[in-house]
């Protein structure tokens, strides 16, 4: 088993203390999705998704791969988020 750094453990607990963050990370699970699909797959209301994605983005766990568009933004795990 790979050894987890303190930073990694901090990020894991950051995700796990929030049901929403955990569900969003699981909903992405190596895929690229728009927020409405993340909402559908995680069972979280769409209005909460952007806040959760923002939190995860701040921690560099997810990224938006087409930030220039206003509709249909695509999100995926970062390498760190994997």
């Amino acid at each position: 088993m790979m050894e987890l750094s303190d930073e990694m453990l901090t990020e894991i607990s950051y995700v796990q203390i929030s049901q929403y963050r955990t569900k969003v990370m699981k909903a992405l699970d190596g895929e690229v999705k728009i927020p409405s699909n993340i909402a559908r797959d995680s069972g979280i209301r769409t209005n909460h998704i952007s806040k959760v994605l923002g939190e995860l983005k701040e921690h560099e766990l997810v990224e938006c791969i087409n930030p220039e568009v206003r509709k249909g933004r695509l999100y995926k795990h970062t390498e760190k988020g994997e």
Side-chain angles (χ1 to χ4, degrees):
M1 190 175 143
M2 83 177 220
E3 191 157 319
L4 295 170
S5 67
D6 288 348
E7 184 197 0
M8 236 12 196
L9 290 170
T10 303
E11 296 301 348
I12 290 168
S13 70
Y14 173 75
V15 170
Q16 288 183 343
I17 58 172
S18 162
Q19 234 185 342
Y20 283 167
R21 290 191 287 256
T22 303
K23 286 179 175 179
V24 167
M25 290 299 282
K26 283 183 177 157
L28 279 170
D29 192 31
E31 294 181 55
V32 174
K33 294 183 179 177
I34 59 173
S36 59
N37 288 350
I38 297 169
R40 183 198 64 212
D41 297 345
S42 63
I44 298 170
R45 283 201 219 107
T46 313
N47 58 335
H48 292 301
I49 291 294
S50 61
K51 178 182 183 290
V52 176
L53 285 170
E55 293 169 354
L56 293 169
K57 244 170 45 182
E58 265 178 42
H59 282 253
E60 299 171 355
L61 297 171
V62 301
E63 63 184 325
C64 178
I65 56 177
N66 58 345
E68 68 287 344
V69 303
R70 288 189 50 76
K71 273 229 172 281
R73 286 198 174 138
L74 294 166
Y75 288 87
K76 69 180 188 86
H77 287 153
T78 59
E79 202 172 306
K80 181 176 167 185
E82 284 296 324

